[in-house]
Amino acid sequence: MPVIQGLGWTFDTAAAAYEKFRPGYVDELYQTLFDYLPIGKGSHALEVGIGGGQATLPVLETGCQLTAIEPGKNFCALCRDKFKEYPDFQIVQGKFEDVPLPENHFDLIYSASAFHWVPEEQGYAKAYSLLKKGGAFARFANHPYPDKERLQLTDAIQACYDRFYTPFHKRGIGAPAEYSAEAAKNRAMIAEKYGFADIRWALYHRTRTFTAEEYVQLLGTYSDHIALEESVRREFFAAIRDAINEHGGLFTIYDTIDLQLARKL
């Protein structure tokens, strides 16, 4: 989905739905991360933009101390309750670039589908300053691509965007493009500008299949969709729901998940 800057606030208005319908990340990603930087009891980790906690449990289960930074008060409340059984978990409400944090303190700083909301220069420079020597920064995200098998359905959904989404935002979503290895590499190399080294990247793939109702509930967790005026959003989602049901009742998303790793030497 396209990112429209300035809409970061929207997610917190749909915190419960976000936690329910946004996906987590594949086990292979965490294996790659922990092979790159083993952490455990005594380690300090920082998660930037915890959201609904989709990327939190695998890190907590290492036994480390985990601090999460999250601007949304509803997400903060949700995650405090979700991870209340973990005494070494704490969450701080605020934006990463604004929250005071100890320098040279963290072994791992990571962000899952959230770091694009942080201004690049502030975000990378701050992450570098907060890490211990030898510590790592991990950035990863999920990039969905529409159904490759039900092409008539994909076209019908695109027509719904042309009818409702584009007139409201005065911009289209553009032709779908699968996230590429080149894009992952280019994102990984951003860290080099801010002093990081030992830069690596990887891609992972999966599919998710939704009923019409599940898919529109997922769409209701995206910032640009939340920002639609309510009557427009209602008609838009109804049209998408009808399109899916008219084409067999299921819609499959093809996910590409990218991981970027970088180290403070």
Side-chain angles (χ1 to χ4, degrees):
M1 296 295 171
V3 172
I4 301 177
Q5 292 300 327
L7 294 183
W9 61 271
T10 59
F11 296 112
D12 199 52
T13 68
Y18 189 104
E19 192 274 337
K20 181 177 180 180
F21 289 102
R22 285 297 188 98
Y25 300 88
V26 296
D27 292 342
E28 293 85 352
L29 182 151
Y30 294 104
Q31 186 62 56
T32 303
L33 171 57
F34 297 141
D35 284 347
Y36 182 82
L37 184 81
I39 59 171
K41 194 169 181 63
S43 301
H44 292 83
L46 177 70
E47 181 173 3
V48 180
I50 190 174
Q54 279 82 357
T56 306
L57 190 58
V59 178
L60 278 174
E61 288 182 335
T62 68
C64 72
Q65 296 182 44
L66 176 60
T67 300
I69 306 298
E70 170 55 48
K73 66 176 182 180
N74 293 325
F75 276 133
C76 286
L78 185 155
C79 287
R80 284 193 187 100
D81 182 68
K82 184 175 182 177
F83 302 115
K84 63 186 177 183
E85 303 301 321
Y86 291 85
D88 289 326
F89 171 77
Q90 65 170 329
I91 189 166
V92 178
Q93 185 179 348
K95 292 183 178 181
F96 174 61
E97 56 268 36
D98 297 334
V99 173
L101 293 162
E103 294 190 351
N104 306 302
H105 177 74
F106 296 97
D107 300 280
L108 171 67
I109 298 175
Y110 74 101
S111 186
S113 296
F115 210 67
H116 56 285
W117 295 107
V118 181
E120 179 191 306
E121 184 173 350
Q122 291 176 274
Y124 279 90
K126 185 169 185 175
Y128 190 90
S129 72
L130 300 180
L131 285 168
K132 300 175 182 177
K133 286 187 177 180
F137 174 61
R139 176 178 180 173
F140 46 102
N142 185 60
H143 306 274
Y145 185 82
D147 203 314
K148 299 178 181 179
E149 301 296 329
R150 304 175 179 91
L151 297 182
Q152 289 185 331
L153 172 54
T154 298
D155 289 343
I157 291 176
Q158 179 63 54
C160 295
Y161 276 86
D162 294 341
R163 181 181 173 191
F164 296 101
Y165 178 102
T166 299
F168 183 87
H169 282 302
K170 295 180 173 53
R171 57 176 281 182
I173 60 170
E178 279 194 274
Y179 193 80
S180 68
E182 181 180 6
K185 180 180 178 180
N186 290 340
R187 178 172 286 179
M189 296 311 297
I190 294 171
E192 189 174 47
K193 296 191 296 182
Y194 299 94
F196 288 95
D198 191 14
I199 295 169
R200 307 181 196 180
W201 60 273
L203 294 178
Y204 311 89
H205 299 89
R206 68 178 171 203
T207 59
R208 294 175 287 149
T209 299
F210 300 87
T211 65
E213 185 57 37
E214 289 170 341
Y215 187 61
V216 297
Q217 291 191 66
L218 171 67
L219 291 180
T221 70
Y222 286 99
S223 60
D224 52 338
H225 292 60
I226 298 169
L228 292 168
E229 196 274 325
E230 183 179 353
S231 63
V232 174
R233 184 172 61 248
R234 184 170 56 249
E235 290 187 65
F236 177 41
F237 285 3
I240 290 177
R241 188 184 297 111
D242 290 345
I244 294 173
N245 285 329
E246 289 168 5
H247 289 82
L250 296 175
F251 186 72
T252 297
I253 288 177
Y254 290 73
D255 288 330
T256 300
I257 303 167
D258 65 327
L259 168 66
Q260 289 84 30
L261 297 167
R263 196 182 305 276
K264 179 179 179 179
L265 298 183

